[in-house]
Amino acid sequence: MLRRFLSRRWGSTSAPLISDAGKQLTLSFNGDETSFYSTWLRLACKTCRHETSQMIVNSQDIGTPIMKTAEIGDDELTVNFEDGHKTTLSLEMLKLHSEQTRDSKKQRRHPLRKRHSPPTKVNHSDLMSSDTTHLWNLIQAINTDGVAVITNTPNEEAICCEIAKQIGPLMQTLYVTPFDVKATPKPINIAYTGERLAYHMDLPYYESPPGIQLLHCRQFSDEVEGGESNFLDAHAAAELLRRDHPEHFKTLCRVQAKFQKDHIQRENPAQFFYRRPHISTNSDGEVIAVFWSPPFEGNLEAPFGEHAAYYSAYNVFADIIEDKQNTTDYGYHFRLAEGEVVLFNNRRLLHGREAFKLGDGHRHLQGCYISIDDFLNKYHNLSLVHANDSTVAHSVGNGDHF
């Protein structure tokens, strides 16, 4: 049965070919050749790992092992090395590490697509049930679209934290957990006013900013004018910059901006500073992280010769981010209703808010954070239960060089 399954899934597999004096092995999956280095094959052996999956042998221990023979049988590849070691690996595992599979995953991990439908919604009681299908649907939506909404949430203190714990532990920051977003007389953050919030990410001055933010709408009176929530795919904005202004794109990949939270006059004084470019790419040139948060930027510390190029690129990128057509095509704009909780990827989606006037009404959101690592951990664990083989974690903006 397994052989027939693999045959349907992977197609025909050719006999292994050893070359380069025993250091290279080539296989052909359904006509597509892919090669593996001898050290890679040796370290992929299960006997090189503890039962916890941690490595107990590394490349320094084995040098460059030389392969003597290799054969395929029972849907496995067996490699015999000159030092007497034997490695047995499944063809399924080898196919998953082939060049063709890696290229296919790359195409699906960095999607640039327009948003044509509203965010996925999941009922709170369903989400909190023992059926993890609803949690999987929520996490898939965040992975794919960057945002999802939970409906019919009870108006209870810190319930956003209980929801967050379904995904992972709470991420503690300089703000209390949970934090309240409402207009206050002496705000410690512009979010605690009625002013418009331009597109930004939260806490860019952290080495690892929060991954998923939850905001529970506890009060949003009909009397309140404005206050709609805005979200924009930062990677899409970066790709638009690369397409239309390639030199500006290169500048923002090269010149380091300074992000900061420099606020002494608060109960817990904040002195956070971090320098990095606005855009990061991997070795293939794909965008893997965008850092954009104008309210939390310090003075540019780049060499003087970079200043003119940086500010020109910065202004063009800002125009792309605030362009109404771009925010319509690659973002979301909606008014939260009482009882709704919005969850969004702070590492990939920029967010903002329209200005509002309370009048005789009230607007109160309560929020918390989850790290992107804990989100991905839950995603991968649930994918083992609910996903099919085509499921791929999209680029979540955390700088992973996949």
Side-chain angles (χ1 to χ4, degrees), residues 44-251:
C45 180
K46 290 183 179 179
T47 62
C48 293
R49 292 184 180 273
H50 189 264
E51 61 183 12
T52 61
S53 84
Q54 293 171 271
M55 293 290 293
I56 55 177
V57 176
N58 60 42
S59 61
Q60 184 183 18
D61 299 325
I62 62 175
T64 304
I66 302 302
M67 295 178 284
K68 287 177 57 180
T69 63
E71 59 183 8
I72 292 176
D74 296 327
D75 300 308
E76 294 179 329
L77 170 72
T78 300
V79 181
N80 294 293
F81 293 87
E82 284 189 350
D83 62 2
H85 183 83
K86 180 171 72 173
T87 292
T88 301
L89 303 169
S90 72
L91 295 181
E92 181 177 9
M93 176 269 203
L94 291 167
K95 176 60 179 177
L96 288 172
H97 287 85
S98 69
E99 294 291 340
Q100 294 76 28
T101 302
R102 285 196 293 271
D103 289 343
S104 173
K105 286 185 176 181
K106 283 180 182 178
Q107 293 172 7
R108 288 178 283 153
R109 278 173 166 157
H110 299 269
L112 177 62
R113 60 187 183 83
K114 295 183 178 182
R115 316 289 179 176
H116 296 296
S117 57
T120 296
K121 293 190 175 184
V122 177
N123 186 279
H124 175 264
S125 60
D126 291 336
L127 180 72
M128 304 301 284
S129 71
S130 59
D131 183 359
T132 58
T133 301
H134 305 289
L135 179 58
W136 172 239
N137 291 338
L138 179 80
I139 287 179
Q140 270 194 304
I142 298 171
N143 171 59
T144 303
D145 302 323
V147 62
V149 174
I150 300 170
T151 60
N152 300 312
T153 306
N155 188 9
E156 298 175 6
E157 176 71 14
I159 198 167
C160 61
C161 297
E162 298 307 310
I163 295 171
K165 290 174 185 176
Q166 298 294 305
I167 299 174
L170 300 176
M171 179 178 176
Q172 302 298 328
T173 71
L174 79 161
Y175 296 102
V176 297
T177 303
F179 52 84
D180 293 286
V181 182
K182 54 185 177 180
T184 59
K186 294 183 178 180
I188 59 173
N189 188 300
I190 195 173
Y192 304 159
T193 71
E195 297 181 32
R196 178 181 184 269
L197 297 183
Y199 286 98
H200 67 285
M201 75 182 302
D202 277 10
L203 282 65
Y205 39 82
Y206 273 47
E207 184 275 331
S208 182
I212 308 302
Q213 182 172 171
L214 294 83
L215 287 173
H216 175 205
C217 183
R218 301 191 63 183
Q219 289 181 294
F220 204 154
S221 308
D222 291 339
E223 294 86 352
V224 177
E225 297 180 13
E228 294 83 0
S229 299
N230 300 320
F231 302 92
L232 175 69
D233 185 350
H235 288 210
E239 292 296 349
L240 293 174
L241 179 68
R242 178 180 2 217
R243 184 193 69 187
D244 298 335
H245 307 277
E247 290 305 314
H248 289 334
F249 178 87
K250 293 177 182 177
T251 296

Side-chain angles (χ1 to χ4, degrees), residues 247-248 251-252 254-255 300 304-315:
E247 290 305 314
H248 289 334
T251 296
L252 294 189
R254 182 183 69 251
V255 180
L300 184 65
F304 175 78
E306 296 278 24
H307 284 206
Y310 171 81
Y311 287 118
S312 293
Y314 184 99
N315 293 341

